[in-house]
Amino acid sequence: MKVISSNEFLEILYSIQNNSSTEYTAFEISDYIIESENNLNIDFDKIDVDYNKIYSTIIFKNLVFKTGYLNIHNGKIKKPSLFISNCVFQTKLHIHANFNNLTFDNNIFKCEKFNISGCKIEQLSFRNQEKSYSKKLQSNEFNIKQFEINSSEIETFTMDNISFSNELIVNFDRIKFSFLFNIQNLYVNQITVQNCEFLEHFEFNGHYNISKFTNCDFLGPSSFSRSIIGIPLNLNLINCTFSKYLDLNNFIADKFELTDITFKERVSLQETHFNIIKIDRTTFEKVALFDDIQIKKIDNCARGTIRTIKQELKKAATRIEI
């Protein structure tokens, strides 16, 4: 691959012009190593493409970024689509821009920090194009210290077959997900989600040591599941509201916590397996299904928790009899 400077890369990027009359157009920049001790600031407003009239995609493919700080931004006037594939990032990455579509596919991140903040994105996805549930196959690989998305509005968010380095904490803070939040086959040490709104569909399936949701509102149907059985897992839900049905059937965890939770509709924890479960200051406005729940270390659970489960089992049985 040819080695170019940050300025040469920007010259190539900003020279893109939409001369096509077709509705869908893709502009690809590929096979470069971008080296510079200075920061690389990419301003999508400087690209001569009218995204309001034509659906155009900018493609970064087979690129290696070895710069200071990589900043991707715009003036919120244009909403481009950016597809990033098979790239290597050896630089801190900060994205502060609006996008129709922002997709990361089969990339390697060898940097201290990955941050998305202050954005409005219709579709944000991290994925591996080759559908597989094997951790060994190529996917977006994050060998970084910090991954965070905050203060943003995202319509559709998907993350599939993603691996993060050990000890990393993935953080989502102050985000409104207006349609879909879908995580499948995620491998991470710890994930924290706080002060977020999930307006429609929420699906969470991953392998993690600790997962904590705090001060979140789930306004649509929600489900938690896991992709690997037999590995310790802690799930904590604290000060959250579930306005629609929550599906936790067949969920398995070492420790499971519900504190200051309001369930406005039915919640199902049938055939779940926990070593320890904690239910504190939690309101079940409709039926809660605990059929065939198994608690291995029941002596380590608070009496109030066991009392709550028994009460809900009786309430559910009464409703069925009626």
Side-chain angles (χ1 to χ4, degrees), residues 57-310:
T57 301
I58 308 297
I59 300 173
F60 292 172
K61 186 176 181 180
N62 298 327
L63 301 177
V64 179
F65 293 92
K66 296 181 178 181
T67 62
Y69 212 129
L70 174 55
N71 296 292
I72 298 177
H73 61 94
N74 59 25
K76 310 300 175 70
I77 298 172
K78 299 180 178 180
K79 292 181 68 176
S81 292
L82 177 61
F83 184 85
I84 302 175
S85 176
N86 295 307
C87 293
V88 178
F89 295 88
Q90 295 178 327
T91 173
K92 295 178 181 178
L93 177 60
H94 175 62
I95 298 174
H96 181 73
N98 292 342
F99 288 96
N100 281 320
N101 188 315
L102 177 58
T103 298
F104 294 89
D105 185 71
N106 293 342
N107 301 288
I108 296 176
F109 298 85
K110 296 180 178 180
C111 51
E112 291 186 8
K113 186 176 182 180
F114 180 102
N115 172 263
I116 296 176
S117 65
C119 300
K120 289 185 178 181
I121 304 174
E122 291 188 17
Q123 182 170 337
L124 172 60
S125 62
F126 299 84
R127 71 187 194 190
N128 174 17
Q129 275 192 329
E130 295 181 6
K131 276 290 182 181
S132 171
Y133 297 118
S134 172
K135 184 178 177 180
K136 296 180 180 180
L137 291 183
Q138 185 183 21
S139 65
N140 283 293
E141 179 183 339
F142 291 86
N143 294 313
I144 61 178
K145 296 181 179 179
Q146 184 177 359
F147 178 97
E148 61 183 14
I149 303 176
N150 56 58
S151 305
S152 297
E153 296 181 14
I154 300 172
E155 185 172 323
T156 298
F157 177 85
T158 59
M159 185 175 276
D160 188 4
N161 198 21
I162 306 301
S163 300
F164 288 95
S165 57
N166 294 333
E167 308 305 324
L168 174 75
I169 298 177
V170 173
N171 183 43
F172 298 90
D173 187 12
R174 289 164 289 138
I175 307 172
K176 179 184 287 187
F177 298 94
S178 60
F179 180 67
L180 174 66
F181 180 93
N182 183 296
I183 288 181
Q184 301 289 332
N185 310 300
L186 172 67
Y187 302 86
V188 64
N189 176 52
Q190 181 172 339
I191 179 168
T192 62
V193 183
Q194 54 197 359
N195 307 308
C196 292
E197 287 184 281
F198 305 93
L199 275 61
E200 291 289 342
H201 306 281
F202 174 92
E203 300 172 8
F204 189 84
N205 176 358
H207 162 51
Y208 46 85
N209 290 325
I210 300 173
S211 182
K212 181 180 291 186
F213 291 77
T214 307
N215 300 323
C216 293
D217 290 325
F218 300 80
L219 303 180
S222 307
S223 67
F224 289 86
S225 57
R226 57 182 304 187
S227 55
I228 296 181
I229 305 300
I231 297 177
L233 175 154
N234 299 328
L235 175 61
N236 305 312
L237 303 177
I238 302 170
N239 195 26
C240 297
T241 299
F242 291 83
S243 297
K244 298 295 183 181
Y245 171 65
L246 171 62
D247 181 2
L248 279 158
N249 290 335
N250 302 299
F251 193 77
I252 301 174
D254 180 27
K255 295 179 181 179
F256 178 62
E257 175 184 356
L258 297 173
T259 299
D260 291 313
I261 306 297
T262 299
F263 294 102
K264 295 186 177 182
E265 293 292 338
R266 183 168 63 114
V267 53
S268 185
L269 296 98
Q270 298 181 88
E271 299 185 26
T272 49
H273 297 253
F274 307 114
N275 282 335
I276 298 174
I277 181 172
K278 175 183 177 181
I279 303 176
D280 187 25
R281 301 188 300 275
T282 293
T283 302
F284 300 97
E285 295 186 3
K286 297 292 180 66
V287 64
L289 303 175
F290 286 95
D291 298 0
D292 298 318
I293 184 174
Q294 295 186 28
I295 306 171
K296 188 174 182 179
K297 299 180 180 179
I298 194 168
D299 292 338
N300 293 338
C301 300
R303 291 183 179 180
T305 294
I306 305 305
R307 188 183 305 116
T308 298
I309 294 173
K310 289 181 178 180

Side-chain angles (χ1 to χ4, degrees), residues 36-72:
S36 176
E37 294 181 356
N38 299 323
N39 295 340
L40 173 57
N41 296 297
I42 298 176
D43 184 354
F44 272 87
D45 283 345
K46 294 184 178 180
I47 301 175
D48 188 18
V49 174
D50 187 351
Y51 298 100
N52 294 321
K53 294 183 178 180
I54 189 168
Y55 185 86
S56 301
T57 301
I58 308 297
I59 300 173
F60 292 172
K61 186 176 181 180
N62 298 327
L63 301 177
V64 179
F65 293 92
K66 296 181 178 181
T67 62
Y69 212 129
L70 174 55
N71 296 292
I72 298 177

